[in-house]
Amino acid sequence: MEYKEPLEDTQQTLTEHLDAALDSATDETAVFHLRQARQMAADLPTLVAEKSDEETD
């Protein structure tokens, strides 16, 4: 049986890991990319909903 984590739980876990990485990052390039990833994590439900809408059209 395949376990699928709810989107909200996945988003929260991803955000927590990115926040922890941002707290310890010292390289400016790494910080930039981690912030970009953090924004994508925040937008994850919207991105998934848009993709789902595209597939049903």
Side-chain angles (χ1 to χ4, degrees), residues 1-51:
M1 180 176 190
E2 186 177 324
Y3 174 74
K4 293 191 177 187
E5 195 172 348
L7 179 60
E8 294 81 14
D9 292 345
T10 302
Q11 179 187 24
Q12 180 177 348
T13 300
L14 180 58
T15 299
E16 289 170 1
H17 285 283
L18 289 167
D19 287 344
L22 275 166
D23 287 344
S24 63
T26 57
D27 180 77
E28 287 301 315
T29 302
V31 170
F32 170 79
H33 288 290
L34 288 166
R35 285 185 179 148
Q36 292 294 101
R38 176 74 167 76
Q39 185 58 50
M40 289 180 72
D43 294 340
L44 190 59
T46 302
L47 296 170
V48 169
E50 288 174 359
K51 183 67 175 169

